[in-house]
Amino acid sequence: MKYISYEGVDIMTGDLIADAVMDYAAVLGANARTDSVAVPSVGFDGARIRTTLLIGPASEFVVTPAPDDVLEPEDPDFIRRLRDAAGRAGVARPLDADGRPRFVGADGPSGR
């Protein structure tokens, strides 16, 4: 589980989902584009919800570990949609200082 901190709000979601949101935000920023994304997340009461984020060149997110939870949302379709949208966002790609693979989990429930 991870928290995506955005505008003073902590959004709890799955590890791969949080990473994919960050990957998508980096691509949108590199291409001066904006999108609204409904992120699969966990509400304060533990219920699965969708939290909508406006992501654009000026978005500033922080992703931090959250307590592990058996309800961790996994959504390969969501990650695949972000990956595909990133491919349509433009030709510019963000710098890749850490060299990790992007949009991990897009190809199925195994996540890797």
Side-chain angles (χ1 to χ4, degrees):
M1 297 292 291
K2 290 184 178 175
Y3 290 117
I4 301 173
S5 297
Y6 179 71
E7 296 293 321
V9 175
D10 288 333
I11 301 157
M12 183 184 276
T13 191
D15 291 348
L16 298 178
I17 292 170
D19 292 345
V21 168
M22 293 295 281
D23 293 342
Y24 188 48
V27 171
L28 288 176
N31 288 282
R33 303 285 302 267
T34 303
D35 196 0
S36 175
V37 178
V39 179
S41 50
V42 178
F44 294 114
D45 61 357
R48 290 178 186 238
I49 61 172
R50 295 236 173 214
T51 304
T52 303
L53 302 176
L54 177 62
I55 304 173
S59 297
E60 294 183 6
F61 300 104
V62 176
V63 173
T64 56
D68 285 336
D69 190 323
V70 295
L71 299 175
E72 179 170 351
E74 293 185 22
D75 195 334
D77 291 336
F78 172 77
I79 297 170
R80 191 171 18 264
R81 284 193 307 274
L82 289 187
R83 182 200 59 201
D84 294 348
R88 296 187 304 271
V91 296
R93 292 292 167 246
L95 298 176
D96 190 11
D98 62 8
R100 72 174 179 80
R102 303 297 177 193
F103 299 104
V104 173
D107 295 323
S110 67
R112 304 265 179 217

